[in-house]
Amino acid sequence: MEASELATFTNESRTILVNNRDVAPQTIEPDSDSLLILTPVKNNAENTAIYFELIDTLKYPRNKISLAFLVSDSTDQTQQMLIESKRWYQEQAPKELRFKRFDIFRQDFFYALPRDERHLREKQRDRRIMMARARNYLWTRALEDEQWVLWIDGDLEYYPPNIVHDLMAYDKDVIVPNCVVRNDTENIDIVYDFNNWQETPESLAMIKKLKEDDYLVEGYDSLETRRKYLDNFAKNETVVPLDGVGGTFTLVKARVHRSGVGFPTLLFQHQVETEGFAKLAKANGFGVFGLPFYYVRHVVG
């Protein structure tokens, strides 16, 4: 900083700057281009093999990637499969395939929801609050000196090998691709993650009429929010601002989380979990964006 600039500061501000200068050499800065992949899982054994098959396709320096999993309330072999995968990658695999870190955490919330009730509208608020608790536990335990955080669902079946570089190239605080699912009946891909959305004049007008404790959730005919999803944009709209995101494949600059932006477990602007995270990030001055025509694919179900 130039002396002329320093002269404009108060005595207190100059003291702060001096103190910062003295401690800077001892401060751990983010490891350039380092990536922390976070995945909360529950009874995900059937998808674990393809999860690592996809990770192995990523064209990103392996020594820059750390993995962290949170296993919650699982009763199948998910945890054991992760432990075996860690042992193979970190001890038995060639060095060029080893991750910078591979962490497995266990935190049970004792929340039981039958799989056939997973998508019932009346179950969503409690379910999403539990998911928010899991995500907050995971990122606060796992984040160290990484520059980027990537949230990936444990049950995706495809994403492009270059996706990390592609998303980073946009240099956004938070960015998501369009997560689709295969409709085998019509042989087409349709939107899966309706939590990636943009407010519209109509949705904002609807929100003004809500009670303070009203919770909004997407994808239900019984609740028309009139928001704009990633399949509603024109071909020339390749990157668009969003107001809500999901967690199927979400790239976040780590400084967003370090600033205190997590996943609300209480309503924030009528949202919790990932959509609440997007609202909270925007309220704190961060940008949230989506790519309508860049696709990842979720398993059916």
Side-chain angles (χ1 to χ4, degrees), residues 28-48:
I28 299 176
E29 296 297 331
D31 180 12
S32 177
D33 298 324
S34 55
L35 175 69
L36 173 62
I37 297 178
L38 298 177
T39 302
V41 287
K42 174 182 178 180
N43 292 337
N44 195 52
E46 64 179 320
N47 298 304
T48 300

Side-chain angles (χ1 to χ4, degrees), residues 39 93 109 114 159 169 222 261:
T39 302
F109 300 100
Y159 48 76
S222 57
V261 178

Side-chain angles (χ1 to χ4, degrees), residues 140-155:
T140 55
R141 286 293 306 272
L143 182 58
E144 292 187 2
D145 63 346
E146 291 79 19
Q147 189 172 24
W148 298 86
V149 172
L150 176 59
W151 293 92
I152 300 183
D153 261 11
D155 48 0

Side-chain angles (χ1 to χ4, degrees), residues 163-171 175-177 249 251 291 294:
I163 189 168
V164 173
H165 283 301
D166 291 344
L167 267 58
M168 285 181 178
Y170 286 95
D171 196 29
I175 191 166
V176 295
F249 202 104
L251 183 67
L291 304 176
Y294 195 113

Side-chain angles (χ1 to χ4, degrees), residues 62-160:
R62 186 59 65 98
N63 64 346
K64 290 288 187 178
I65 299 176
S66 295
L67 300 180
F69 300 88
L70 176 65
V71 184
S72 299
D73 300 336
S74 275
T75 56
D76 68 359
Q77 292 299 306
T78 297
Q79 181 169 300
Q80 187 57 37
M81 292 178 73
L82 290 176
I83 292 171
E84 292 171 0
S85 296
K86 177 180 180 178
R87 184 179 301 117
W88 187 84
Y89 278 107
Q90 303 303 88
E91 298 176 13
Q92 301 170 359
K95 288 186 177 181
E96 61 270 19
L97 293 181
R98 297 182 186 183
F99 298 98
K100 181 181 176 183
R101 293 198 330 277
F102 190 132
D103 294 325
I104 304 167
F105 302 101
R106 178 87 191 205
Q107 176 63 41
D108 295 315
F109 300 100
F110 302 98
Y111 176 72
L113 182 65
R115 192 166 184 82
D116 60 354
E117 297 182 14
R118 179 182 175 190
H119 293 297
L120 294 178
R121 178 184 165 187
E122 62 269 21
K123 302 292 186 179
Q124 293 312 300
R125 185 168 179 171
D126 287 344
R127 173 176 173 263
R128 299 295 300 282
I129 287 172
M130 283 297 160
M131 293 170 66
R133 290 178 63 189
R135 290 187 187 277
N136 288 332
Y137 184 96
L138 180 53
W139 79 259
T140 55
R141 286 293 306 272
L143 182 58
E144 292 187 2
D145 63 346
E146 291 79 19
Q147 189 172 24
W148 298 86
V149 172
L150 176 59
W151 293 92
I152 300 183
D153 261 11
D155 48 0
L156 294 180
E157 68 176 21
Y158 171 76
Y159 48 76

